[in-house]
Amino acid sequence: MTRKMWIVALAVVIAGGLITGIYIKTTMLYDGKSSASVSVKRQAGEKRYSYLGKEYVLPGKIEKIVVTGALEALEDLLILGVKPVGVMTIGGAFPALFAEITKDAKPIGERMQPSFEAMLKIRPDVILSSDKFPASTADQLQKIAPTIPISHFPIDGKANLLFLGELTGKQEQAEEVLRKYEQDAAAAKASLPEGVRDKKVVAVRIRGGNIGVYPANVFFNEILYGELGLSVPEEIKAVKAQEVISLEKFSEMDPDYIFLQYAVLESPAQPNVLKDLQQNPIWRSMKAVKNNNVFINVVDPLVQGVAIGGKIQFLNAAIDKLSQ
C-alpha cells in the first residue's frame, strides 16, 4: 500500500461515525477550581506537562503544532510569535488577525469541522484543540497526535499562556506578557472615573444574527466586572451560560454602556444584521445608544476574551472609552 493510500485509509477509519458540525457552541460554566500552575518533568525523549490539573506526555522536541477549534490558542501563539504548521480556517480562509503566524500554515478544516485527513498528512507533534469539542472528537484527535484541549474560560487565560510558553520555549516572553497585563489592569482600575463605577456596563456579541450575553466571568465580562470592578448588572448575574437575548429583552436591561463585538463571518446568512439593528427603533431608544455610548469592535471581533494579549487590548480600549 502506498503512503498516500495509507493516509487516506487511516483518515477514513478515524472519521468513521463522526457527524458534521462536531463543534459544541454551548458555553460551559467555570467551576472556580482551575489552576494557573504549569510544571514540566523531563524524561528521556519526552516531557510531561501538567496543565489545569491534567498530565500530558509530549515529544521532547515540539516542532509541528496544529491548532483546531481553539482561537484562544492562536491568540497566545500570535503574541508569542510561534507559527503553527496547521491551522483551522474560518469561512474558508485564515483570519487576517493571525496572518503573521499563519501565512505558511496548512489548512486543516473549518473551526467547526476539522479535517482528520489533512492533519494526518502533516503528522503534527501536538494538536491544540478546544475544550468545547465533544469527547468523541477528542478521542479521534488523540489517534493522530497528542492532543491538548485549551480552556475557553477567561479565568484560565494565565494558565493557557504559561503552558504554551513552556511548550514553545517562550517562557520568559509569556511571563513578561503576564506582568504587563497585571500592571495594565491595576492602572486601569485605579484610573476608572468614579462616576462610571456604578453604571450598567455590558459586553455582547452578535453571532448567527442574534445578540448574545454571557455570565459575569465569561467573555469580556471577566475584565469589566473582575479587573475593573464594575457592578455586575442583575440581568447578567442571572446568566448561567452563553444566551441569546431578544432585542426587546435587551432594551429592558437598558445599559449605560454597551461593548458590542460583531464579525460578518459569524453571521454569514445575515450580513446586514448590524445595520438593521442600528436602524431598529427599539435599539435607538436605549440609553447607551442615545448617549453615543455603544462601542463596536474595540478589539478584533475574533478576540475571545481569554488570551492575555487580547485581554490587554480590550482592557486598554475599555478604559479609554469609559473615561471619555
Side-chain angles (χ1 to χ4, degrees):
M1 182 180 292
T2 66
R3 178 174 176 274
K4 182 177 181 180
M5 292 175 63
W6 175 86
I7 290 175
V8 172
L10 185 53
V12 171
V13 171
I14 289 178
L18 291 180
I19 301 173
T20 299
I22 50 183
Y23 188 87
I24 294 178
K25 291 194 245 183
T26 303
T27 301
M28 298 168 60
L29 290 177
Y30 170 64
D31 61 11
K33 299 179 182 178
S34 295
S35 167
S37 65
V38 178
S39 63
V40 181
K41 298 178 182 178
R42 290 176 173 79
Q43 295 183 4
E46 69 178 26
K47 292 182 183 178
R48 291 182 177 271
Y49 294 81
S50 178
Y51 165 63
L52 296 180
K54 294 185 178 180
E55 293 264 328
Y56 298 93
V57 179
L58 303 177
K61 187 176 183 180
I62 302 295
E63 295 181 332
K64 295 191 291 185
I65 298 174
V66 160
V67 182
T68 180
L71 283 170
E72 301 84 359
L74 281 179
E75 285 188 58
D76 281 333
L77 295 182
L78 178 64
I79 202 166
L80 294 175
V82 176
K83 298 179 180 180
V85 297
V87 177
M88 62 195 176
T89 56
I90 298 181
F94 296 140
L97 173 62
F98 306 111
E100 186 178 331
I101 61 171
T102 59
K103 59 182 179 180
D104 298 321
K106 301 291 185 182
I108 47 88
E110 280 287 292
R111 179 184 180 187
M112 295 186 292
Q113 298 174 337
S115 170
F116 301 108
E117 181 179 354
M119 293 184 208
L120 280 165
K121 291 179 180 178
I122 292 174
R123 295 185 178 181
D125 297 313
V126 64
I127 297 172
L128 302 177
S129 71
S130 172
D131 63 348
K132 296 179 183 179
F133 279 137
S136 58
T137 303
D139 291 342
Q140 303 306 324
L141 292 172
Q142 284 286 4
K143 294 177 182 178
I144 299 172
T147 300
I148 301 169
I150 300 300
S151 173
H152 75 287
F153 295 111
I155 197 69
D156 292 328
K158 294 181 181 180
N160 290 352
L161 182 60
L162 286 174
F163 167 68
L164 292 176
E166 291 283 358
L167 183 71
T168 61
K170 301 276 188 174
Q171 299 95 322
E172 292 184 4
Q173 192 170 335
E175 291 168 1
E176 180 58 33
V177 172
L178 285 177
R179 281 193 291 270
K180 176 173 175 49
Y181 175 61
E182 291 167 356
Q183 292 169 359
D184 284 3
K189 186 173 184 179
S191 66
L192 187 69
E194 192 65 34
V196 176
R197 297 183 186 278
D198 293 323
K199 295 293 185 180
K200 187 178 289 188
V201 183
V202 299
V204 299
R205 173 179 271 151
I206 295 179
R207 275 179 171 167
N210 298 307
I211 300 173
V213 293
Y214 300 80
N217 61 353
V218 175
F219 189 41
F220 293 123
N221 289 347
E222 192 257 350
I223 295 175
L224 295 174
Y225 311 132
E227 299 293 4
L228 293 179
L230 293 169
S231 299
V232 183
E234 291 300 319
E235 297 90 342
I236 297 299
K237 289 180 181 179
V239 177
K240 302 304 180 184
Q242 177 182 333
E243 292 181 7
V244 170
I245 186 172
S246 68
L247 177 56
E248 291 77 11
K249 194 69 176 178
F250 189 50
S251 69
E252 293 176 9
M253 191 187 305
D254 201 17
D256 296 289
Y257 297 88
I258 300 172
F259 288 92
L260 187 153
Q261 294 292 106
Y262 166 68
V264 175
L265 56 83
E266 291 189 323
S267 298
Q270 297 169 285
N272 296 318
V273 62
L274 179 58
K275 182 179 179 180
D276 292 343
L277 177 66
Q278 292 173 315
Q279 294 176 346
N280 191 298
I282 298 176
W283 173 262
R284 297 174 69 175
S285 71
M286 296 173 65
K287 189 186 309 179
V289 179
K290 290 191 290 187
N291 293 331
N292 294 316
N293 286 327
V294 177
F295 311 117
I296 300 173
N297 292 342
V298 295
V299 295
D300 190 285
L302 289 182
V303 170
Q304 301 296 292
V306 178
I308 300 299
K311 284 186 176 184
I312 293 173
Q313 293 177 39
F314 182 83
L315 180 71
N316 291 330
I319 200 66
D320 176 65
K321 298 299 184 183
L322 294 173
S323 299
Q324 292 178 1

